[in-house]
Amino acid sequence: MIMDTIKEEREKLKQFYETSNDYKKLLDAHNREYLQTYVDIVAKYAKPKSRILDLGSGNGLSSSMLSELGHRVTGTDISHFFLADSAKLQSESLNYCISDALDLPFRDETFDVVCSNELIEHVTDAPKALLEMMRVLKNGGILAVMGPNLCSPFWSVIDLISMAKGGKGRHVWAETRRQALAWGFNNFTLSMKKRFSKKADFIHRKPDLDKAIFGGDSDSAYYASPIDIEKFLKANGMKIIRLCEAVSTQGRIMGRLFPRFGLYISVVARKM
């Protein structure tokens, strides 16, 4: 029964991503400045002229930016609608294809680097997606998974500060002060529980597609946490290189002090 429900949600997500003009506008707003940190982190670990798989590339710009650095890049997304404008970006070193992260159309050990930005929280089966990433990654290759840490207690702090200044909290998660406080407390206790658990505990959530057009990961299907990813990758023979990679000084400080509790997931691992 649970699996049938998840399968149904997966199909609803696919349909939403193929038809929502408003959501596409959110993705199209992801410009070079927005994507630069992701590209910089991937480039830091990619050897020259690497063959890179960029999963969930949305408007395709991140894949194009990586190819500009001399890599051979395949950008993918589940939505033909999202990638519709990317044809003009294709070149000898850059191509795009429609694919589902849960069933990648590539042979085992094809890529030197497999990376994703703001994808993992949107898949209905995060463990399967990670296994697929590892499958198509060459031995010795680099896996980089980035996105929001939806279990971080610091999100509610940001929302409360915003409300105190007369602003608003995040849709779905912290629309009132009471909700923000409850979210922060729940995230703290959940993260602590995950931290001291022996196994990864991937928590599925029902996407709220009615509010997805406002952003804020209302459409997420996995309550993403770097602790889950860390434990799962280690259990499957991957070596964690960086648990919280960062480019900015602020990001480095946060990563050093709170690598499992920070706002963003930026796990870098090597296939052994």
Side-chain angles (χ1 to χ4, degrees), residues 36-99:
Q36 193 63 57
T37 296
Y38 168 59
V39 171
D40 286 346
I41 289 176
V42 174
K44 177 179 178 179
Y45 292 95
K47 294 180 180 179
K49 299 182 179 179
S50 286
R51 188 171 183 187
I52 298 177
L53 176 62
D54 183 21
L55 292 168
S57 58
N59 61 16
L61 181 56
S62 59
S63 303
S64 178
M65 292 169 69
L66 287 167
S67 73
E68 290 170 3
L69 299 176
H71 302 296
R72 294 169 296 154
V73 184
T74 297
T76 76
D77 201 277
I78 197 171
S79 171
H80 180 275
F81 183 45
F82 292 167
L83 286 176
D85 300 326
S86 64
K88 62 180 180 292
L89 300 174
Q90 292 194 111
S91 65
E92 290 184 3
S93 62
L94 173 64
N95 66 86
Y96 296 95
C97 71
I98 309 303
S99 70

Side-chain angles (χ1 to χ4, degrees), residues 3 17 31-32 36 58 60 66 94 102-103 143 152 185 192:
M3 293 305 297
Y17 294 146
N31 56 20
R32 286 177 173 267
Q36 193 63 57
L66 287 167
L94 173 64
L102 301 183
D103 187 20
L143 174 65
S152 173
F185 177 78
M192 291 300 291

Side-chain angles (χ1 to χ4, degrees), residues 249-264:
T249 300
Q250 181 180 355
R252 290 194 187 101
I253 293 173
M254 178 67 80
R256 185 176 294 273
L257 295 176
F258 309 105
R260 297 173 179 85
F261 294 80
L263 296 173
Y264 294 99

Side-chain angles (χ1 to χ4, degrees), residues 1-171:
M1 192 62 144
I2 295 176
M3 293 305 297
D4 288 341
T5 299
I6 292 176
K7 184 178 180 180
E8 182 181 341
E9 289 174 0
R10 181 182 176 189
E11 292 305 315
K12 286 182 179 179
L13 279 169
K14 284 184 179 181
Q15 181 67 19
F16 177 78
Y17 294 146
E18 281 288 356
T19 58
S20 177
N21 284 292
D22 290 326
Y23 195 85
K24 186 176 185 300
K25 289 178 183 178
L26 291 177
L27 292 183
D28 288 343
H30 292 181
N31 56 20
R32 286 177 173 267
E33 182 180 3
Y34 183 91
L35 296 167
Q36 193 63 57
T37 296
Y38 168 59
V39 171
D40 286 346
I41 289 176
V42 174
K44 177 179 178 179
Y45 292 95
K47 294 180 180 179
K49 299 182 179 179
S50 286
R51 188 171 183 187
I52 298 177
L53 176 62
D54 183 21
L55 292 168
S57 58
N59 61 16
L61 181 56
S62 59
S63 303
S64 178
M65 292 169 69
L66 287 167
S67 73
E68 290 170 3
L69 299 176
H71 302 296
R72 294 169 296 154
V73 184
T74 297
T76 76
D77 201 277
I78 197 171
S79 171
H80 180 275
F81 183 45
F82 292 167
L83 286 176
D85 300 326
S86 64
K88 62 180 180 292
L89 300 174
Q90 292 194 111
S91 65
E92 290 184 3
S93 62
L94 173 64
N95 66 86
Y96 296 95
C97 71
I98 309 303
S99 70
D100 189 332
L102 301 183
D103 187 20
L104 296 174
F106 307 108
R107 294 180 179 179
D108 296 357
E109 300 184 17
T110 298
F111 298 94
D112 302 300
V113 177
V114 176
C115 52
S116 69
N117 182 43
E118 299 183 3
L119 164 73
I120 195 67
E121 70 274 17
H122 298 294
V123 297
T124 53
D125 190 339
K128 186 175 182 181
L130 291 171
L131 287 173
E132 277 292 274
M133 293 179 199
M134 288 184 275
R135 179 183 66 78
V136 302
L137 182 64
K138 293 179 181 179
N139 287 332
I142 294 296
L143 174 65
V145 179
M146 297 181 62
N149 177 7
L150 297 180
C151 291
S152 173
F154 293 108
W155 285 116
S156 63
V157 175
I158 292 174
D159 288 317
L160 287 168
I161 292 174
S162 175
M163 292 178 194
K165 293 181 178 180
K168 295 181 179 180
R170 300 211 312 164
H171 289 284

Side-chain angles (χ1 to χ4, degrees), residues 31 47 101-103 162 189 191 194 208 212 224 234 240 243 258 260 263 268 272:
N31 56 20
K47 294 180 180 179
L102 301 183
D103 187 20
S162 175
T189 54
S191 293
K194 286 178 176 290
D208 189 339
K234 284 183 176 180
I240 304 297
L243 183 57
F258 309 105
R260 297 173 179 85
L263 296 173
V268 180
M272 305 305 291

